[in-house]
Structure formats: C-alpha cells, structure tokens
Amino acid sequence: MAEEIQQQIQQLRQQLQQASYAYYVLDVPIMADEVYDRLYRQLQELESDYPELITAESPTQRVGEKPATQFFSVKHNIPLYSLENAFNFEELTKWQERWQRVAGENQQLTAEYVCELKIDGSALALTYENGVLVRGATRGDGIAGEEITQNVKTIRSIPLKLNLDNPPPIVEVRGEAFLSLAVFEEINQEREKAGEQLFANPRNAAAGTLRQLDSKVVDKRRLDFFAYTLYLDGGNEQDTQWDSLELLRTMGFKVNPNRKICYSLDEVREYYEFWDTERRNLPYMTDGVVVKINSVLLQKQLGFTQRFPRWAIALKYPAQEVPTIVEAVTVQVGRTGALTPVAELKPVQLAGTTVSRASLHNGDRLSELNLHIGDTVIVRKAGEIIPEVVRVLPELRPPNAQLFQMPNCCPECAQPVVREKGEAVTRCINTSCPAILRGSLIHFCSRDALDINGVGEKLVQQMVDSSLLNSAADLYDLTAERLMSLERMGKKLAEKLVSAIAQSKNKPYSRVLYGLGIRHVGTVNAQLLTERFTNMEDLATVSAAAIEGVYGIGPEIAQSVYQWFRVPANQSLIARLKNTGLQLHSEVKTLNLGDQNLQFAGKTFVLTGTLPTLKRDEAKDLIQQAGGKVTNSVSAKTDYVIVGEDAGSKLEKAQSLGIEILSEAELLELLLKL
C-alpha cells in the first residue's frame, strides 16, 4: 500500500508540475483550472495523511505556513556583478573597442553578440542541488544578499525541480523577478483602497514584495521570473550564451523569447531601435538592451573588472518624456525641515505608470523653470523612477497664470522659514514642527535604522496626531492598550508592534546613531563614527575637530554632528533613549591613526565622478593623510581609481589599462583596515 501511495503522489506531482510549466512558462494551458484544483487537493490530502512523503519540490510546498521572523544575509556562491551602462552608440562602440584590446589575438572569436531585453525588476540568485531548489537570494551588494527561499518558491515560473533526468549536483541560475504591468496596477488599486502608500513603479513593487516576511502575501502578488544566466558545476558550461538560454528553457525556466543573435553592432542597433518602440506593447517594463558576447570561452578570457563583466553591457533607453499641465504646487516638509515644492499634475501615463505628481526640488530650480500654475510642462522619470519636471513650455501658458513662489512660512507649523547662505534648500527650523517630527520618526523606524517592522508612514501620522508620540523615545513607552486607542488597531496587531519596538533595542549602536537623523550622517558615516567613538557619551562631548579627525568624516559632517549634540532637546532625547535600554555603545576597537598614516605611501590615486558621502577634497585629504598621492589624469603609473556616480572617460581609461577600481566604501575599508 505504501508503494502504491508513493507512486500516486509522484504521479500527481508530475501532472501538476507539467500543468504549471505549460501555464506559467509556456503560456499554453493544458489543464482546466478546476481539474488542477482537484488534483492539487488530492495531493494535499495524501501528504497530510503521509507527511513523511512530503518533499521540498512538491507543488504544495510553494507557500510556507508560517511567516518568517527575519531575513538572513548569505554569501553568493558566484558573485552577482552589475552591468556597465551605455547610454548611446558611441559609448557602446567604445566598450567594443575596450574588450577587443583586452582580447588581442582572440578577436576572431568576437563575431556574435546575444541581445536580450533588460527586464526592469529585481535580480535573484537561485541554487539547485541535485535538481531541487534549495536557496533563493536577493542580489544585495553582489557579494551577499538576503536569503528569501520561501518567497522565491511562490513564483510559479521558477521550477522547484529541474526538468532534467540527470541534473548536475549544483546548478546556479540568475534572473529577474518582476511584476507585469497589469498585476502592478491591481496591487496599487488595492493599496489605494486600503489607504496605503502606492508603489512608485513595478521595480519597487517587485523588490518590496520579495522582502515580505509572509510568503502568503508574496504568493498573492503573482511575481514572474525570466532566467538569463546559467552556471553548472564541474566546468560543464555551454559553449555559448545562446545555448545556456536554451538549456535554461529545457530545465523548465521561463526565458524571454525576444532575444536575438547579432553579428555586428549595426545589427545590435537595429534590435535596440526596434524594441525602443515595441517595448510599449510589452506586458512588462524594460529599460534597455543587454548585449553579451556569445562565446563563453571568450567571456572567460575577458573576465571582470572590479565591478563589471568585460563581456557584457546594458544599452539603456533614454528616459521617456511627456507633456502635462501643472494644476497646483504643494510644499512638503521633510525630517530635516527641508521644504520641497511638488507639482500636482494632470495625470499622465509615463514609463508604464500613471504620474500625477513630480518633484520641483527647491527654490533655485523653481526660479530656473519660472513655473506658473497652469503651465504645460515636460515630465520625465529621473533614473526611470522619480518623476521630475524637465522644462516649461511658456508658449502654452494661459493668460493671467500666477507665478509660484516658495512660502515665507512653514506650511505645517506656520513658523518663518530660512535659507542659509550658499544653500539651495529652504528650511523650517522649528524643532516642534509636526512634519519634522513625523519625518524623524519614520526615519528612526526605517529599515537601515532601528528597522521596526510595522511602523510606517501612516501609523506614525496616526500616533503623532493622537499625541502618542512626541519623540523617538516615546516609542518605548507605548503599550498595547495605548495603541489600541488608534483607529483600526486591534489587540493582536498592537501586541505585535510593541514586540517589534522591544526587539529594536538589540540593534547596534551605529544603527541608533543613523536613526537619529543627524544631517549628512548616512549609514557609512555612522559606522565610521561608532568605530572611533565607541559610546554615545564620548561622541556627544568631543570637539568638532576630534570628529573631523575620523577617517571619512569631513568638516561639514563634523560640524553637523557637533552642533546636533549641543542642542538641549537632543541631549534630553539621548538621555531618554539610554534609559530605554537602546545600544548606545559598541565593543569595536578604535582606530590607531598613528599606524595608518603611511598606509598608501608610494600609491597614486585618481578621483572621478560624484562620491556618495565624501566631497572630492575630503577624499583627497584622506588619501594624502595616509601617504598617498592624488593626480588628475589616469596613466599606467596610477595604482587606484576611486569611482563615484557619473564617472566619465577616466573610468574608461582605467578599465582599458587594467587599473584597480574602488568605490568610496572600498576606499574607506582600506583606510580602516588595521
């Protein structure tokens, strides 16, 4: 009987897997929904009666019964490198010239490129052992990501078991999880009805979905997946990228059908231009074309730079621009008191989403635009994410249109605002301003700070309006009974929130410092400061010069930190936070700067692009303090090139010469290494 049951279970699994593959991957249903449901229930009942026969690849195991408590960081078996971007064909041609120089005499292997659409989603790394899915992880920083296997299993176009008779012991697959435009619209409609903040675009929605702790929520959002990279253990790779895509399809993965082999850059251009128009008709978003050398042998010979594979590049489409009308301008107040004007627009479709608001940045930008209410403006998405007004069409301005000017008083608290000399930002400096309080609390509870799950913008608004919160320290005085006074707050949810707040007491000192929201202090700077000053009391009492003496901390950051701790209200906040039991100290040993000052002796550096937190002069000072030399041009004598955003020809030259490329974080890591 046991053998008969086992065979019956195996047969049901095979039938269900074939039906899922046909429906979710091939888009050719072979089974009516009611038949699938009946077979699925039969399998569930048998596995319930014989739980010892349940296996990880069973269709019933796609959705976990219990939500995860947290995600854990895992190191990728194979790094997930990002792709270098090209924004025009001149840059694409330069890329080809660079890798051809590296290839040298092997250029006869360079005839073929594989062009694939660049799907606008969230990259995943999948690991299969003996054909069974054992791990799914986010990209993270490319070296390590978050392990989200249970969520990955909910994606029906990802096979739980490979469709191979004799699968290799280890198979690594890379691909993109994404939301179709139709599903994205449905999700936002549901969130709007529930009074929740809308997702900005399908990419953000996909990333946010993958980080849900409850896989049942993930399952309901119907993520999809395209596989695009395959690694087999034991050196059994396919000869070409095209063959790898075909094998992925055979294994049971959904592979984007709109791919093509191109034999020249002219053919790549034709493919790119064709899809620049046709991508509007796709059911998902794509923001460019990925161009890969087809030969796997040549890929291996070319290898990688510090950041990118030399054998692949993303040719991006320009941001879409559309005209619309400014119906009003509102002013938002952020957690630092910064006033940001926002254009309220006549709704318009832009890059796959409906846009009704766009940032105007600051007063200087308003002056440049000479914006009047009722103006017709051109809107685009900066980085295809954040809508912004590019320019005004004054010739279409209606008669008697009113020029918009920044207010003299805060729209939230009605107190006078100031604009400091040399700054483009207008600020409210009233520390009791409700907007500043709300923004500070949202930041304090955010993922990179105290990571208090469940405390978001809407709940913070409620708690501030109800006078439950007047500072971050008030969070730790909350009880389930007090929370239950809020609208739609039940006992179970209230207890869950109190528990999440209590758990935040275990977050490290650097997270607390970042959570305080001190201007110019990001996660990296917070880490640097807490490594030098191992308790909050020391940091609060040292001079600005001492703070500036920390590697990676410039004068602007040092002055901001110093001034923040001089404010009596902030001193009271720290005292209260200390009494709650938050971690305001660390065991990290301080830097011995005396041992560091000649670490870069004899080394030559070049800086290019805009660094995330350091100004150019600050980075230069750090390198020189460590004995290094900073020059303006890249040559064969250059040891390192430090790269930021919008790096230009210096980066290209460094790559062509094989010079080591570092990010700001990698530079600081070298400086901090004892």
Side-chain angles (χ1 to χ4, degrees), residues 206-243:
T209 298
L210 287 168
R211 294 201 76 258
Q212 291 288 320
L213 292 172
D214 190 347
S215 62
K216 292 178 181 177
V217 175
V218 184
D219 185 49
K220 289 179 181 178
R221 292 190 181 171
R222 292 176 286 162
L223 283 166
D224 210 337
F225 181 80
F226 279 129
Y228 51 66
T229 304
L230 173 66
Y231 299 99
L232 304 176
D233 66 337
N236 296 317
E237 292 92 350
Q238 301 298 290
D239 292 334
T240 66
Q241 168 66 10
W242 190 269
D243 290 341

Short mmCIF file of all heavy atoms in Angstrom, two decimals, residues 206-243:
data_model
loop_
_atom_site.label_atom_id
_atom_site.label_comp_id
_atom_site.label_asym_id
_atom_site.label_seq_id
_atom_site.Cartn_x
_atom_site.Cartn_y
_atom_site.Cartn_z
N ALA A 206 8.18 44.98 -7.01
CA ALA A 206 8.77 43.64 -7.02
C ALA A 206 9.77 43.48 -5.88
O ALA A 206 9.76 42.47 -5.16
CB ALA A 206 9.46 43.37 -8.37
N ALA A 207 10.64 44.49 -5.70
CA ALA A 207 11.63 44.42 -4.62
C ALA A 207 10.96 44.38 -3.26
O ALA A 207 11.35 43.62 -2.37
CB ALA A 207 12.58 45.61 -4.72
N GLY A 208 9.92 45.22 -3.07
CA GLY A 208 9.21 45.23 -1.81
C GLY A 208 8.47 43.93 -1.54
O GLY A 208 8.41 43.46 -0.40
N THR A 209 7.94 43.34 -2.59
CA THR A 209 7.23 42.07 -2.45
C THR A 209 8.18 40.96 -2.01
O THR A 209 7.85 40.16 -1.13
CB THR A 209 6.56 41.69 -3.78
OG1 THR A 209 5.59 42.69 -4.11
CG2 THR A 209 5.88 40.33 -3.69
N LEU A 210 9.36 40.91 -2.60
CA LEU A 210 10.32 39.85 -2.27
C LEU A 210 10.77 39.92 -0.82
O LEU A 210 11.21 38.92 -0.26
CB LEU A 210 11.53 39.94 -3.20
CG LEU A 210 11.28 39.48 -4.64
CD1 LEU A 210 12.45 39.86 -5.53
CD2 LEU A 210 11.04 37.97 -4.70
N ARG A 211 10.65 41.10 -0.19
CA ARG A 211 11.09 41.25 1.20
C ARG A 211 9.95 41.11 2.20
O ARG A 211 10.11 41.41 3.38
CB ARG A 211 11.79 42.60 1.41
CG ARG A 211 13.10 42.75 0.66
CD ARG A 211 13.98 43.82 1.28
NE ARG A 211 14.62 43.37 2.50
CZ ARG A 211 14.22 43.69 3.72
NH1 ARG A 211 13.17 44.44 3.92
NH2 ARG A 211 14.88 43.27 4.78
N GLN A 212 8.79 40.66 1.74
CA GLN A 212 7.70 40.38 2.67
C GLN A 212 8.05 39.16 3.52
O GLN A 212 8.52 38.15 3.01
CB GLN A 212 6.41 40.10 1.90
CG GLN A 212 5.83 41.30 1.19
CD GLN A 212 5.24 42.31 2.15
OE1 GLN A 212 4.59 41.95 3.13
NE2 GLN A 212 5.47 43.58 1.86
N LEU A 213 7.81 39.26 4.82
CA LEU A 213 8.11 38.13 5.70
C LEU A 213 7.11 36.99 5.54
O LEU A 213 7.42 35.84 5.81
CB LEU A 213 8.14 38.61 7.16
CG LEU A 213 9.31 39.55 7.52
CD1 LEU A 213 9.12 40.11 8.91
CD2 LEU A 213 10.64 38.82 7.40
N ASP A 214 5.91 37.31 5.09
CA ASP A 214 4.87 36.30 4.93
C ASP A 214 4.79 35.88 3.46
O ASP A 214 4.39 36.67 2.61
CB ASP A 214 3.52 36.86 5.39
CG ASP A 214 2.44 35.79 5.48
OD1 ASP A 214 2.67 34.68 4.95
OD2 ASP A 214 1.39 36.06 6.07
N SER A 215 5.17 34.65 3.16
CA SER A 215 5.18 34.18 1.77
C SER A 215 3.78 34.12 1.18
O SER A 215 3.62 34.11 -0.05
CB SER A 215 5.85 32.81 1.68
OG SER A 215 5.14 31.84 2.42
N LYS A 216 2.76 34.10 2.02
CA LYS A 216 1.39 34.10 1.50
C LYS A 216 1.07 35.44 0.83
O LYS A 216 0.35 35.48 -0.17
CB LYS A 216 0.40 33.82 2.63
CG LYS A 216 0.49 32.41 3.18
CD LYS A 216 -0.49 32.19 4.33
CE LYS A 216 -0.36 30.76 4.88
NZ LYS A 216 -1.25 30.53 6.03
N VAL A 217 1.63 36.52 1.37
CA VAL A 217 1.46 37.83 0.75
C VAL A 217 2.18 37.86 -0.60
O VAL A 217 1.66 38.37 -1.59
CB VAL A 217 2.01 38.95 1.67
CG1 VAL A 217 1.94 40.30 0.97
CG2 VAL A 217 1.22 38.98 2.97
N VAL A 218 3.38 37.29 -0.64
CA VAL A 218 4.16 37.23 -1.88
C VAL A 218 3.39 36.45 -2.94
O VAL A 218 3.31 36.84 -4.11
CB VAL A 218 5.54 36.60 -1.63
CG1 VAL A 218 6.38 36.63 -2.90
CG2 VAL A 218 6.26 37.33 -0.51
N ASP A 219 2.83 35.34 -2.53
CA ASP A 219 2.09 34.48 -3.46
C ASP A 219 0.93 35.23 -4.10
O ASP A 219 0.68 35.10 -5.30
CB ASP A 219 1.59 33.24 -2.70
CG ASP A 219 0.93 32.24 -3.62
OD1 ASP A 219 1.52 31.90 -4.66
OD2 ASP A 219 -0.18 31.79 -3.31
N LYS A 220 0.23 36.05 -3.32
CA LYS A 220 -0.92 36.78 -3.84
C LYS A 220 -0.53 37.83 -4.88
O LYS A 220 -1.34 38.19 -5.72
CB LYS A 220 -1.67 37.46 -2.68
CG LYS A 220 -2.41 36.49 -1.77
CD LYS A 220 -3.09 37.24 -0.63
CE LYS A 220 -3.82 36.28 0.30
NZ LYS A 220 -4.45 36.99 1.45
N ARG A 221 0.71 38.28 -4.84
CA ARG A 221 1.12 39.35 -5.76
C ARG A 221 1.60 38.84 -7.11
O ARG A 221 1.94 39.64 -7.98
CB ARG A 221 2.20 40.22 -5.09
CG ARG A 221 1.63 41.02 -3.92
CD ARG A 221 2.60 42.05 -3.42
NE ARG A 221 2.05 42.79 -2.28
CZ ARG A 221 2.75 43.63 -1.54
NH1 ARG A 221 4.03 43.85 -1.81
NH2 ARG A 221 2.18 44.27 -0.54
N ARG A 222 1.68 37.55 -7.28
CA ARG A 222 1.91 36.92 -8.59
C ARG A 222 3.15 37.45 -9.32
O ARG A 222 3.10 37.92 -10.45
CB ARG A 222 0.68 37.10 -9.47
CG ARG A 222 -0.53 36.32 -8.98
CD ARG A 222 -1.74 36.62 -9.82
NE ARG A 222 -2.29 37.94 -9.53
CZ ARG A 222 -3.12 38.60 -10.34
NH1 ARG A 222 -3.47 38.08 -11.49
NH2 ARG A 222 -3.57 39.79 -10.00
N LEU A 223 4.29 37.38 -8.65
CA LEU A 223 5.55 37.71 -9.30
C LEU A 223 5.84 36.75 -10.44
O LEU A 223 5.42 35.59 -10.43
CB LEU A 223 6.70 37.65 -8.29
CG LEU A 223 6.84 38.81 -7.31
CD1 LEU A 223 7.78 38.43 -6.18
CD2 LEU A 223 7.35 40.05 -8.01
N ASP A 224 6.59 37.23 -11.42
CA ASP A 224 7.02 36.41 -12.54
C ASP A 224 8.54 36.41 -12.57
O ASP A 224 9.19 37.14 -11.81
CB ASP A 224 6.43 36.96 -13.84
CG ASP A 224 6.20 35.87 -14.89
OD1 ASP A 224 6.87 34.81 -14.79
OD2 ASP A 224 5.38 36.08 -15.79
N PHE A 225 9.13 35.62 -13.47
CA PHE A 225 10.59 35.47 -13.47
C PHE A 225 11.08 35.10 -14.86
O PHE A 225 10.50 34.24 -15.53
CB PHE A 225 11.00 34.38 -12.48
CG PHE A 225 12.48 34.14 -12.37
CD1 PHE A 225 13.28 34.97 -11.61
CD2 PHE A 225 13.09 33.08 -13.03
CE1 PHE A 225 14.66 34.75 -11.48
CE2 PHE A 225 14.45 32.85 -12.92
CZ PHE A 225 15.24 33.69 -12.14
N PHE A 226 12.14 35.79 -15.31
CA PHE A 226 12.87 35.42 -16.52
C PHE A 226 14.29 35.01 -16.11
O PHE A 226 14.98 35.77 -15.41
CB PHE A 226 12.97 36.59 -17.50
CG PHE A 226 11.75 36.80 -18.35
CD1 PHE A 226 11.15 38.05 -18.44
CD2 PHE A 226 11.20 35.75 -19.08
CE1 PHE A 226 10.03 38.26 -19.23
CE2 PHE A 226 10.07 35.94 -19.87
CZ PHE A 226 9.49 37.19 -19.95
N ALA A 227 14.73 33.83 -16.53
CA ALA A 227 16.10 33.38 -16.27
C ALA A 227 17.00 33.86 -17.41
O ALA A 227 16.60 33.85 -18.57
CB ALA A 227 16.15 31.86 -16.16
N TYR A 228 18.26 34.27 -17.07
CA TYR A 228 19.14 34.74 -18.14
C TYR A 228 20.60 34.31 -17.99
O TYR A 228 21.40 34.53 -18.88
CB TYR A 228 19.08 36.27 -18.27
CG TYR A 228 19.27 37.07 -17.00
CD1 TYR A 228 20.47 37.07 -16.30
CD2 TYR A 228 18.24 37.86 -16.52
CE1 TYR A 228 20.63 37.81 -15.16
CE2 TYR A 228 18.38 38.62 -15.36
CZ TYR A 228 19.59 38.59 -14.69
OH TYR A 228 19.75 39.34 -13.55
N THR A 229 20.97 33.70 -16.88
CA THR A 229 22.36 33.25 -16.73
C THR A 229 22.37 31.88 -16.05
O THR A 229 21.61 31.64 -15.11
CB THR A 229 23.19 34.23 -15.88
OG1 THR A 229 23.12 35.52 -16.47
CG2 THR A 229 24.65 33.80 -15.81
N LEU A 230 23.27 31.01 -16.53
CA LEU A 230 23.35 29.63 -16.02
C LEU A 230 24.80 29.29 -15.70
O LEU A 230 25.71 29.55 -16.49
CB LEU A 230 22.81 28.66 -17.08
CG LEU A 230 22.97 27.15 -16.80
CD1 LEU A 230 22.13 26.75 -15.59
CD2 LEU A 230 22.56 26.35 -18.03
N TYR A 231 25.00 28.72 -14.50
CA TYR A 231 26.32 28.22 -14.11
C TYR A 231 26.16 26.76 -13.69
O TYR A 231 25.32 26.43 -12.86
CB TYR A 231 26.89 29.01 -12.92
CG TYR A 231 27.11 30.47 -13.19
CD1 TYR A 231 26.18 31.41 -12.75
CD2 TYR A 231 28.25 30.93 -13.86
CE1 TYR A 231 26.37 32.77 -12.98
CE2 TYR A 231 28.44 32.28 -14.09
CZ TYR A 231 27.50 33.19 -13.65
OH TYR A 231 27.70 34.53 -13.88
N LEU A 232 26.98 25.89 -14.28
CA LEU A 232 26.97 24.48 -13.91
C LEU A 232 28.29 24.14 -13.25
O LEU A 232 29.36 24.62 -13.66
CB LEU A 232 26.79 23.61 -15.16
CG LEU A 232 25.55 23.89 -16.01
CD1 LEU A 232 25.55 23.02 -17.26
CD2 LEU A 232 24.29 23.64 -15.21
N ASP A 233 28.25 23.30 -12.21
CA ASP A 233 29.49 22.95 -11.53
C ASP A 233 30.31 21.99 -12.39
O ASP A 233 29.80 21.37 -13.33
CB ASP A 233 29.20 22.32 -10.15
CG ASP A 233 28.49 20.99 -10.27
OD1 ASP A 233 27.85 20.75 -11.31
OD2 ASP A 233 28.57 20.18 -9.34
N GLY A 234 31.58 21.91 -12.06
CA GLY A 234 32.45 20.97 -12.75
C GLY A 234 32.90 21.43 -14.13
O GLY A 234 33.40 20.65 -14.93
N GLY A 235 32.71 22.74 -14.43
CA GLY A 235 33.17 23.24 -15.71
C GLY A 235 32.39 22.73 -16.90
O GLY A 235 32.91 22.66 -18.01
N ASN A 236 31.14 22.38 -16.69
CA ASN A 236 30.32 21.84 -17.78
C ASN A 236 29.47 22.91 -18.45
O ASN A 236 28.34 22.65 -18.86
CB ASN A 236 29.41 20.72 -17.24
CG ASN A 236 30.22 19.55 -16.72
OD1 ASN A 236 31.18 19.13 -17.36
ND2 ASN A 236 29.82 19.03 -15.57
N GLU A 237 30.00 24.14 -18.54
CA GLU A 237 29.23 25.22 -19.13
C GLU A 237 28.93 24.95 -20.60
O GLU A 237 29.64 24.20 -21.28
CB GLU A 237 29.98 26.56 -19.02
CG GLU A 237 30.13 27.07 -17.61
CD GLU A 237 31.43 26.60 -16.97
OE1 GLU A 237 32.10 25.75 -17.56
OE2 GLU A 237 31.75 27.11 -15.89
N GLN A 238 27.90 25.59 -21.08
CA GLN A 238 27.57 25.55 -22.50
C GLN A 238 28.61 26.35 -23.28
O GLN A 238 29.31 27.20 -22.73
CB GLN A 238 26.17 26.12 -22.73
CG GLN A 238 25.08 25.38 -21.97
CD GLN A 238 24.96 23.94 -22.41
OE1 GLN A 238 24.51 23.66 -23.52
NE2 GLN A 238 25.36 23.02 -21.56
N ASP A 239 28.69 26.12 -24.57
CA ASP A 239 29.68 26.83 -25.39
C ASP A 239 29.32 28.28 -25.60
O ASP A 239 30.19 29.13 -25.80
CB ASP A 239 29.84 26.13 -26.75
CG ASP A 239 30.48 24.75 -26.62
OD1 ASP A 239 31.22 24.54 -25.64
OD2 ASP A 239 30.23 23.90 -27.49
N THR A 240 28.03 28.57 -25.62
CA THR A 240 27.59 29.93 -25.90
C THR A 240 26.50 30.37 -24.94
O THR A 240 25.84 29.54 -24.31
CB THR A 240 27.03 30.05 -27.34
OG1 THR A 240 25.83 29.26 -27.43
CG2 THR A 240 28.05 29.58 -28.37
N GLN A 241 26.32 31.69 -24.85
CA GLN A 241 25.22 32.25 -24.06
C GLN A 241 23.88 31.78 -24.62
O GLN A 241 22.95 31.47 -23.87
CB GLN A 241 25.29 33.78 -24.07
CG GLN A 241 24.06 34.50 -23.55
CD GLN A 241 23.81 34.29 -22.07
OE1 GLN A 241 24.65 33.75 -21.36
NE2 GLN A 241 22.65 34.72 -21.60
N TRP A 242 23.77 31.69 -25.94
CA TRP A 242 22.53 31.24 -26.56
C TRP A 242 22.19 29.81 -26.13
O TRP A 242 21.05 29.50 -25.81
CB TRP A 242 22.64 31.34 -28.07
CG TRP A 242 21.33 31.11 -28.78
CD1 TRP A 242 20.82 29.93 -29.24
CD2 TRP A 242 20.33 32.10 -29.06
NE1 TRP A 242 19.60 30.12 -29.81
CE2 TRP A 242 19.26 31.44 -29.71
CE3 TRP A 242 20.24 33.48 -28.85
CZ2 TRP A 242 18.12 32.12 -30.14
CZ3 TRP A 242 19.11 34.15 -29.28
CH2 TRP A 242 18.07 33.47 -29.91
N ASP A 243 23.22 28.95 -26.12
CA ASP A 243 23.00 27.56 -25.68
C ASP A 243 22.56 27.51 -24.22
O ASP A 243 21.73 26.68 -23.84
CB ASP A 243 24.28 26.74 -25.86
CG ASP A 243 24.62 26.50 -27.33
OD1 ASP A 243 23.71 26.65 -28.17
OD2 ASP A 243 25.78 26.17 -27.62
#
